[in-house]
C-alpha cells in the first residue's frame, strides 16, 4: 500500500514537472519570436540561452546518468526562467528590490545541494574505500557553493569592467570612509558623512557634462557584491546543515532527498547502500557499513 501511494505521489510530481517545463518553454519560445520580430537580438540571445539551460536535466540524465529529483528539477527550471527572462528581460531586478537577493540565496542553496551530491555519491561508492564524516561532507558542499558564488561575482565584475554591463548594481550611500581623502596621505581613513548629493563631471563628444546623484554618494558594485555573497552564504549554510543530518540519518530526510542528485535508477542514499552491500558480498569485501543494523535499515527503507 505504501509503495502504491508513493508511486502515485511520484507520478503526480513528475506530471507537474513536465507541465511546468512545457509551459515555460512555450513562453520563452513565444517571447523569442516576438523579440526577433522587433529586432531585439540581445533578448533573442537570452531566450536561446534560457532554452539551452532548460536542457540541463536532460543532459545530466542522458549524458552522465545523473538523476535530478523532481523538486530540484522544477526549482532549477523556475530559477533559470526567473533569472534570465523575468530578471533580465522583464527588468524584475529593477522593479523588485529584493529579486536579485532572492535568486542569490536560492543559488547558494542549490549549489550546496549539487556539491553535497558529488561528495556523498563518492562517499557511498562501493569502489571507494573511504568514509567521510557528515560534517566534512557538509563542509565540502558549503565550500563548493561559496566557490560558485565567488566565480559568479568575478564574472559580474568582468562584464562591468570590460563591457560596462552594470551587473553589479549600484547603491546610494550617505556615509563612507576613505584613506584616499587623507590630506597628509596617511593610512588613516577620512569619514564623509551626511552626503546629500553627488555631482559627476565628465566629457562627452567634446562637451562638458554633469550628472547629479541625489540622496548621497553612488557606490559602484561593492555593496551589491558583498550582499550577494552573504545571502549565498546563508543558502549554503542552510542546505549544508540539512545535508549533515541527511548523512547522519542516512537518507531519512525527505527535504534533502528532494534536492540531492543521484546516479543511476536509485531514489536515495538507501538505494546506494543496498548496491554497496551487494558489491561487498559479491567481492568478499566488508567494512563498508558501520554496522549490520545500518545495512538492515537501508533494506527497510527500500522496502518501505
Amino acid at each position: 500500500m505504501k509503495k502504491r501511494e508513493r508511486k502515485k505521489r511520484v507520478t503526480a510530481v513528475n506530471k507537474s514537472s513536465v507541465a511546468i517545463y512545457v509551459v515555460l518553454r512555450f513562453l520563452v519560445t513565444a517571447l523569442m519570436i516576438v523579440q526577433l520580430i522587433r529586432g531585439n537580438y540581445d533578448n533573442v540571445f537570452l531566450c536561446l540561452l534560457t532554452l539551452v539551460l532548460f536542457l540541463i536535466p536532460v543532459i545530466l540524465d542522458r549524458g552522465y546518468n545523473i538523476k535530478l529529483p523532481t523538486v530540484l528539477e522544477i526549482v532549477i527550471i523556475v530559477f533559470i526562467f526567473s533569472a534570465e527572462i523575468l530578471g533580465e528581460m522583464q527588468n524584475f531586478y529593477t522593479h523588485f528590490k529584493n529579486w536579485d537577493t532572492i535568486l542569490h540565496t536560492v543559488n547558494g542553496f542549490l549549489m550546496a545541494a549539487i556539491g553535497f551530491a558529488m561528495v556523498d555519491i563518492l562517499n557511498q561508492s562501493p569502489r571507494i574505500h573511504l568514509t567521510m564524516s557528515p560534517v566534512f561532507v557538509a563542509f565540502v558542499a558549503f565550500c563548493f557553493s561559496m566557490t560558485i558564488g565567488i566565480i559568479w561575482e568575478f564574472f559580474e565584475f568582468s562584464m562591468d569592467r570590460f563591457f560596462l554591463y552594470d551587473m553589479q548594481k549600484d547603491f546610494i550611500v550617505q556615509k563612507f570612509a576613505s584613506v584616499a581623502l587623507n590630506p597628509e596621505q596617511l593610512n588613516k581613513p577620512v569619514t564623509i558623512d551626511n552626503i546629500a548629493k553627488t555631482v559627476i563631471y565628465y566629457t562627452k563628444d567634446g562637451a562638458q557634462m554633469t550628472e547629479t546623484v541625489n540622496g548621497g554618494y553612488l557606490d559602484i558594485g561593492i555593496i551589491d557584491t558583498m550582499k550577494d555573497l552573504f545571502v549565498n552564504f546563508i543558502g549554503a549554510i542552510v542546505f549544508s546543515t540539512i545535508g549533515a543530518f541527511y548523512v547522519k540519518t542516512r537518507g531519512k530526510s525527505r527535504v534533502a532527498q528532494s534536492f540531492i542528485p543521484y546516479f543511476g535508477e536509485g531514489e536515495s542514499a538507501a538505494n546506494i547502500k543496498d548496491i554497496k552491500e551487494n558489491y561487498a558480498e559479491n567481492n568478499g569485501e566488508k567494512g563498508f557499513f558501520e554496522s549490520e543494523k545500518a545495512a538492515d535499515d537501508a533494506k527497510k527503507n527500500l522496502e518501505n
Side-chain angles (χ1 to χ4, degrees):
M1 188 69 178
K2 288 184 178 180
K3 289 184 178 180
R4 188 176 300 174
E5 290 177 356
R6 186 194 306 172
K7 188 174 181 180
K8 288 182 179 179
R9 289 198 301 268
V10 171
T11 302
V13 175
N14 287 337
K15 287 182 178 180
S16 300
S17 174
V18 172
I20 292 173
Y21 177 81
V22 170
V23 170
L24 293 184
R25 192 173 182 84
F26 172 79
L27 289 176
V28 174
T29 303
L31 187 59
M32 181 177 65
I33 294 174
V34 172
Q35 297 301 314
L36 184 62
I37 294 174
R38 294 178 177 177
N40 297 329
Y41 299 113
D42 288 344
N43 289 342
V44 172
F45 172 76
L46 282 176
C47 291
L48 286 173
L49 177 62
T50 302
L51 293 175
V52 171
L53 293 176
F54 278 172
L55 297 176
I56 287 177
V58 177
I59 294 173
L60 291 176
D61 186 359
R62 297 182 181 179
Y64 302 96
N65 199 29
I66 298 176
K67 313 294 182 180
L68 299 184
T70 304
V71 174
L72 176 62
E73 186 173 343
I74 292 174
V75 171
I76 288 176
I77 292 173
V78 173
F79 177 83
I80 293 170
F81 182 82
S82 300
E84 298 298 331
I85 303 302
L86 298 181
E88 295 291 346
M89 291 184 60
Q90 302 302 317
N91 295 319
F92 273 40
Y93 290 127
T94 303
H95 297 323
F96 299 96
K97 184 178 179 181
N98 295 319
W99 190 256
D100 184 60
T101 300
I102 294 172
L103 292 182
H104 275 282
T105 306
V106 173
N107 180 71
F109 186 90
L110 292 178
M111 291 303 104
I114 293 173
F116 178 90
M118 293 190 299
V119 178
D120 194 49
I121 287 173
L122 292 176
N123 197 27
Q124 295 302 311
S125 173
R127 297 173 180 81
I128 297 178
H129 297 226
L130 180 65
T131 300
M132 291 171 275
S133 70
V135 174
F136 181 79
V137 175
F139 177 72
V140 173
F142 168 78
C143 291
F144 178 82
S145 177
M146 292 305 299
T147 299
I148 297 299
I150 290 171
I151 291 175
W152 177 256
E153 294 304 318
F154 285 169
F155 171 73
E156 286 191 348
F157 172 79
S158 299
M159 295 300 290
D160 292 352
R161 177 68 174 174
F162 300 110
F163 301 101
L164 302 179
Y165 265 60
D166 193 26
M167 296 184 70
Q168 297 173 297
K169 297 299 183 287
D170 305 329
F171 278 77
I172 297 178
V173 297
Q174 288 75 42
K175 180 179 180 180
F176 72 92
S178 174
V179 297
L181 299 177
N182 191 299
E184 300 176 358
Q185 297 184 341
L186 298 177
N187 189 29
K188 184 177 180 180
V190 174
T191 300
I192 306 296
D193 201 355
N194 300 317
I195 304 172
K197 65 179 179 180
T198 305
V199 181
I200 303 172
Y201 299 91
Y202 65 101
T203 302
K204 182 177 182 181
D205 299 328
Q208 187 71 34
M209 309 290 290
T210 62
E211 290 288 345
T212 301
V213 179
N214 292 311
Y217 169 75
L218 188 65
D219 168 79
I220 303 178
I222 185 62
I223 294 179
D224 180 75
T225 296
M226 297 310 299
K227 172 185 66 67
D228 291 346
L229 290 177
F230 182 71
V231 296
N232 191 106
F233 172 88
I234 293 175
I237 282 290
V238 170
F239 187 87
S240 297
T241 303
I242 295 173
F245 284 105
Y246 173 83
V247 174
K248 196 170 183 178
T249 59
R250 198 22 63 198
K252 292 182 180 180
S253 171
R254 292 187 177 181
V255 175
Q257 287 184 20
S258 299
F259 289 95
I260 298 177
Y262 51 85
F263 275 122
E265 300 299 327
E267 291 185 39
S268 66
N271 178 270
I272 298 175
K273 276 202 164 188
D274 191 59
I275 295 173
K276 196 170 189 178
E277 183 195 37
N278 292 334
Y279 182 90
E281 290 178 354
N282 295 334
N283 293 274
E285 298 176 16
K286 306 298 180 182
F288 289 107
F289 290 95
E290 295 179 0
S291 66
E292 292 181 1
K293 184 177 181 301
D296 293 335
D297 290 342
K299 288 182 178 179
K300 290 177 182 179
N301 287 334
L302 284 176
E303 292 172 359
N304 293 331

